[in-house]
Amino acid sequence: GESVGLHLPTLSVQEGDNSIINCAYSNSASDYFIWYKQESGKGPQFIIDIRSNMDKRQGQRVTVLLNKTVKHLSLQIAATQPGDSAVYFCAEKSGGSNYKLTFGKGTLLTVNP
Amino acid sequence: DTGVSQNPRHKITKRGQNVTFRCDPISEHNRLYWYRQTLGQGPEFLTYFQNEAQLEKSRLLSDRFSAERPKGSFSTLEIQRTEQGDSAMYLCASSQAGGGFTEKLFFGSGTQLSVL
């Protein structure tokens, strides 16, 4: 079946550097994408979302880029901090579903002080 | 704290036993979801309620699983005759209908089930 996946399982960066986490999706009907952050022992926490009619959206220190041509999504974190260390998941909704999220496998981000 | 609350946080049980988990959603949210997450994987959709009505069940939800939301507020997820393969984190999420397809889900911290 169609699914959402991630290119890299782990990413290690130095504090203060920018981080880029990538995600590939295969469902061309996907129309809404979300990035979640999950810290150890906690549930996923919403970071930022983007609709398929956009190619970029910015939040506080985070930017999501969407390339529908190659079905690729990325999360950029500026000036990465130790508190950003977590597993990051991309998730998608498709086909008009307004409730079912399909998650990728996740990328573990480690920020070194 | 008015977030999604799940109890217990951890449950250890022996194979064959029944377990029940509880989820209290954000009070004004009328939609409630159960997801399952295994180590290193993203959460997988199990089932969804709008108010007290269970509107969809994933094929992952075998006959041994049952979820209820009797009064449209809290929900319970019961697993009968647990198997080792049921070991996972069970996540509950809630949302408020009316947000369209950009409706945001808020997750609880989950119940970690270990079946010995």
Side-chain angles (χ1 to χ4, degrees), chain A residues 34-52:
Chain A
I34 313 103
W35 280 100
Y36 281 91
K37 173 186 179 183
Q38 188 172 25
E39 297 174 282
S40 181
K42 297 184 178 180
Q45 177 187 2
F46 174 92
I47 302 173
I48 192 168
D49 58 358
I50 189 167
R51 297 174 61 157
S52 60

Side-chain angles (χ1 to χ4, degrees), chain B residues 55-97:
Chain B
L55 298 186
E56 183 166 342
K57 294 168 58 174
S58 163
R59 62 181 181 276
L60 294 174
L61 217 63
S62 75
D63 291 344
R64 296 184 297 105
F65 288 70
S66 62
E68 296 182 343
R69 195 182 183 200
K71 297 183 180 179
S73 56
F74 73 92
S75 174
T76 58
L77 177 67
E78 181 183 16
I79 309 174
Q80 297 182 326
R81 305 181 302 282
T82 52
E83 302 172 356
Q84 289 183 327
D86 297 330
S87 295
M89 173 78 82
Y90 290 85
L91 292 163
C92 177
S94 69
S95 69
Q96 178 61 36

Side-chain angles (χ1 to χ4, degrees), chain A residues 31-32 36 38 41-46 49 51-52 57 89 93 96-106, chain B residues 9 31 33 35 37 40-45 48 55-56 89 91 100-110:
Chain A
D31 49 20
Y32 178 56
Y36 281 91
Q38 188 172 25
K42 297 184 178 180
Q45 177 187 2
F46 174 92
D49 58 358
R51 297 174 61 157
S52 60
R57 190 162 188 222
F89 293 97
K93 290 183 185 178
S97 168
N98 61 357
Y99 58 84
K100 187 187 300 184
L101 291 175
T102 300
F103 284 81
K105 290 184 76 172
Chain B
R9 290 297 311 276
R31 288 183 171 158
Y33 315 78
Y35 282 76
Q37 184 177 27
Q41 304 294 319
E44 296 175 292
F45 173 82
Y48 149 68
L55 298 186
E56 183 166 342
M89 173 78 82
L91 292 163
F101 71 94
T102 60
E103 190 172 302
K104 292 179 176 54
L105 273 64
F106 294 85
F107 284 85
S109 293

